[in-house]
Amino acid sequence: MDMQSQHYVTGDPAFAVDRQGLVVLWNEAAEQAFGHARPDALGKKCWELMCGHDINGNLYCFENCPLIEMAFLHEPVHAFQSSFDTSDHLQKRFSVSCLTVFEQAGEEMLLHICHAEQPTVHADLRQAPAAIKTDALSQRELEILVLLSKGVRTRDIAKTLDISIRTVRTHIQHLMYKLRVHNRRAAILEGRRLNLF
């Protein structure tokens, strides 16, 4: 698919990646927001270019991106908050909405539309780390965390939620990153501490 011959119009910074995480679309607003010219961004690995971090400072962009995996398994990718690196090595915060575009088999892309956050929001969030963690979990991640706390196995979570086992594991990995923990038991304990369930 020739992404550059198609037109995607938005006033917000927007970029898209293919299944391999390579940037295939980079709009003018993205050039201005992130400081990378389109020719420099196209074809780069998104996690190396963006170096995104979640609201807790955990690495969001990495080679085995759960968002890409979810998108191309036809799972919805929910909006999230992230800080992205700019070309001058500063970090800017955004609320990010994703749209998976399917045209032909093997020619899909995950489109990210970034909405700049106001600086006053950051100051408030930094003063309430528990609220940050609570807000950072998607509804699906919270559902899975609750099921984990009840001792439900991965296979049974997949059946209950009608999603693949692989997708369940991706959600678990994602929620552990967000809660700053390294295993499922710690995620459950942290969820209880934050009164998530």
Side-chain angles (χ1 to χ4, degrees):
M1 170 173 16
D2 182 7
M3 302 293 178
Q4 296 312 304
S5 67
Q6 299 182 12
H7 298 283
Y8 298 87
V9 179
T10 176
D12 293 309
F15 64 94
V17 298
D18 64 11
R19 284 179 176 267
Q20 287 72 45
L22 299 177
V23 176
V24 294
L25 183 136
W26 190 262
N27 75 352
E28 187 176 330
E31 289 183 324
Q32 294 170 1
F34 304 117
H36 300 288
R38 183 178 295 135
D40 297 331
L42 293 176
K44 294 283 179 16
K45 295 176 181 175
C46 62
W47 59 88
E48 293 175 354
L49 186 66
M50 306 305 294
C51 302
H53 288 78
D54 71 13
I55 197 164
N56 297 312
N58 298 311
L59 185 64
Y60 215 104
C61 294
F62 51 96
E63 186 169 359
N64 297 313
C65 174
L67 302 181
I68 293 174
E69 187 172 337
M70 289 168 59
F72 298 128
L73 288 173
H74 297 221
E75 292 285 336
V77 178
H78 298 284
F80 60 93
Q81 296 172 315
S82 182
S83 292
F84 292 123
D85 282 0
T86 63
S87 62
D88 51 4
H89 307 292
L90 298 175
Q91 285 202 341
K92 287 187 178 180
R93 290 204 54 75
F94 294 90
S95 293
V96 183
S97 300
C98 290
L99 175 68
T100 309
V101 179
F102 298 97
E103 295 207 352
Q104 297 175 20
E107 295 188 351
E108 304 90 351
M109 67 174 179
L110 179 60
L111 178 65
H112 301 67
I113 302 174
C114 306
H115 311 279
E117 290 189 354
Q118 300 302 319
T120 52
V121 173
H122 311 294
D124 293 341
L125 290 175
R126 284 194 208 107
Q127 293 169 8
I132 293 171
K133 291 181 179 181
T134 303
D135 294 342
L137 294 184
S138 71
Q139 185 61 40
R140 181 49 56 93
E141 289 161 353
L142 187 56
E143 288 174 324
I144 290 173
L145 182 59
V146 169
L147 290 170
L148 287 174
S149 74
K150 294 177 179 178
V152 181
R153 296 179 306 171
T154 304
R155 183 178 333 151
D156 296 325
I157 291 173
K159 286 181 184 176
T160 300
L161 299 178
D162 195 29
I163 57 178
S164 70
I165 292 172
R166 187 174 182 181
T167 300
V168 173
R169 290 184 178 136
T170 298
H171 282 303
I172 292 170
Q173 181 184 32
H174 217 195
L175 70 86
M176 288 192 303
Y177 274 117
K178 290 180 177 183
L179 293 173
R180 297 183 182 178
V181 296
H182 301 291
N183 59 57
R184 296 177 184 204
R185 184 173 184 278
I188 293 165
L189 293 174
E190 185 67 359
R192 287 187 178 133
R193 187 183 75 78
L194 295 169
N195 296 316
L196 298 182
F197 52 87

